[in-house]
Amino acid sequence: MRMREGREEAEAARAAIRPPKDDAHEHRFAPGHVPMTPAQTIALQRTAGNTAVSRAVGDSSGAQPKIPWAARTTNSKRTQDDVGIERGESPPQQQQRVAKEQQATRSTRSGRAGTTVKGKEKAEEPEEIGNPTLQFTSQYVGPQTQSLAGNQEIGFDQVATLRRADGMTTPAEEAYDFWQEVADENHQIAPNAVNYRPKKSKRSWVVDGPFRPPYNTEDGTIVNAADHISFNDSPGFSGSMRMTNGYWLSVYEVKFRWKVRRKQGGRFTKNEPYWTSDEMVHRVESAFDPQNPDASAQVTVNTAGNRTWNVVLPD
């Protein structure tokens, strides 16, 4: 009786795994001797049991009973060769990276590693550009009297220094655009003047020469340090422009102002938004006596003085 039941189970197994007549692989195996697919084996396990599967596999392949796709037990593991995974790192780098990021997220929520992750994020963010300080100092460096026959330097020395905000590490030139503007007027008596009539010259507000980005430090007029930028200027008539024999400076007035904004990329422009300082004014007067042209006269000076501003940068 048991032998008959065994033959019936084997017959049922062979029928379950027999491929259709139009199967592309039918010519490679004799009827009833085609290897079982995983799906067929699982279906047979659920209907006829592992014993029937063993007999079916043994009958169709001629090998010893084997159940290659049997359900895993708690102690069984498939190797990389079994599942077709290419040998390499375990787990792969991508999985390791994702796992570390997930761990960092969990640590941040717990508060243990929050400081480290947060600190890393802060380091990658650009530093906030704070409000700088602008300091201006000036003095008169000319003579107390003027003579038509003399060679005299009548002018001023001044320094405008922009200091970055306290606590910042970004270099000043990378944090701010800083430039100087000037307007001036003078009345001069030249040797060919009719009846010692002075010639007047006036200039409206313009950007003052080199005192703007990019900062040229070659001649010493600009100091570009990490924490500050200084404009060292000598407005007036000095050097090659001093008052020479036969010339008289009746009136000289020069005004300065400074503009600051957060650094803008690309080429320097005067576009807004920017902060503007108050105007600082130097003035020199010396009365000439046409009735006594050889006489010297006193030089009256009003120096702009010193000033400090707490710059408030516009948004």
Side-chain angles (χ1 to χ4, degrees):
M1 184 68 176
R2 290 180 181 176
M3 292 180 61
R4 180 180 179 183
E5 290 177 354
R7 286 194 298 272
E8 290 176 353
E9 290 175 355
E11 182 61 29
R14 284 192 294 271
I17 64 173
R18 185 174 293 120
K21 292 183 179 180
D22 57 349
D23 191 290
H25 300 284
E26 183 178 4
H27 64 283
R28 296 185 181 180
F29 303 95
H33 293 279
V34 178
M36 297 176 64
T37 67
Q40 291 172 335
T41 304
I42 292 171
L44 187 58
Q45 285 176 322
R46 292 175 179 175
T47 56
N50 285 343
T51 303
V53 174
S54 299
R55 292 196 186 100
V57 173
D59 291 343
S60 61
S61 63
Q64 294 296 321
K66 184 178 181 182
I67 309 175
W69 297 289
R72 296 188 191 182
T73 63
T74 55
N75 294 326
S76 64
K77 292 184 179 179
R78 284 186 290 181
T79 65
Q80 289 181 332
D81 291 337
D82 292 332
V83 297
I85 296 179
E86 185 177 354
R87 292 187 181 275
E89 296 186 39
S90 179
Q93 289 184 354
Q94 182 68 13
Q95 293 181 11
Q96 291 177 0
R97 182 179 63 81
V98 172
K100 289 180 179 179
E101 291 177 353
Q102 292 174 345
Q103 183 178 5
T105 302
R106 290 194 297 270
S107 298
T108 302
R109 291 174 180 171
S110 68
R112 294 184 60 187
T115 302
T116 303
V117 176
K118 185 177 180 181
K120 182 178 180 182
E121 291 176 354
K122 284 188 70 176
E124 295 174 352
E125 295 177 356
E127 182 178 42
E128 182 178 354
I129 303 304
N131 290 320
T133 301
L134 176 60
Q135 184 179 28
F136 172 73
T137 60
S138 65
Q139 61 180 339
Y140 175 67
V141 293
Q144 299 301 312
T145 60
Q146 181 177 197
S147 171
L148 189 63
N151 293 323
Q152 299 168 106
E153 298 190 63
I154 301 175
F156 303 84
D157 279 345
Q158 65 183 43
V159 181
T161 299
L162 183 75
R163 297 189 180 278
R164 68 185 179 189
D166 291 342
M168 282 180 52
T169 59
T170 301
E173 70 167 332
E174 296 180 12
Y176 311 106
D177 279 332
F178 175 44
W179 68 99
Q180 176 173 295
E181 294 183 345
V182 62
D184 56 18
E185 177 181 358
N186 71 80
H187 303 173
Q188 289 188 45
I189 298 173
N192 60 353
V194 178
N195 298 325
Y196 297 105
R197 183 179 301 169
K199 180 179 180 180
K200 299 179 181 179
S201 176
K202 187 174 183 178
R203 179 174 56 167
S204 298
W205 287 106
V206 294
V207 176
D208 188 16
F211 300 110
R212 61 175 179 80
Y215 309 110
N216 185 350
T217 60
E218 292 181 359
D219 60 2
T221 57
I222 297 178
V223 175
N224 184 7
D227 64 339
H228 72 277
I229 300 167
S230 292
F231 295 158
N232 303 312
D233 196 5
S234 299
F237 295 84
S238 60
S240 62
M241 295 186 65
R242 65 183 179 274
M243 304 306 299
T244 58
N245 187 14
Y247 287 85
W248 185 280
L249 182 63
S250 298
V251 176
Y252 173 54
E253 182 178 275
V254 59
K255 299 185 290 186
F256 294 92
R257 66 188 181 192
W258 295 269
K259 294 184 177 181
V260 185
R261 68 184 172 204
R262 291 183 178 86
K263 187 73 176 179
Q264 295 184 351
R267 187 175 180 180
F268 166 71
T269 68
K270 297 182 291 182
N271 295 339
E272 297 185 20
Y274 48 72
W275 172 90
T276 306
S277 72
D278 301 325
E279 297 176 7
M280 304 302 289
V281 183
H282 302 301
R283 186 176 178 87
V284 172
E285 294 184 60
S286 185
F288 178 78
D289 184 0
Q291 302 301 321
N292 190 11
D294 294 331
S296 60
Q298 184 178 358
V299 177
T300 302
V301 180
N302 290 306
T303 308
N306 305 327
R307 186 76 179 273
T308 298
W309 294 272
N310 293 318
V311 178
V312 179
L313 297 174
D315 294 331

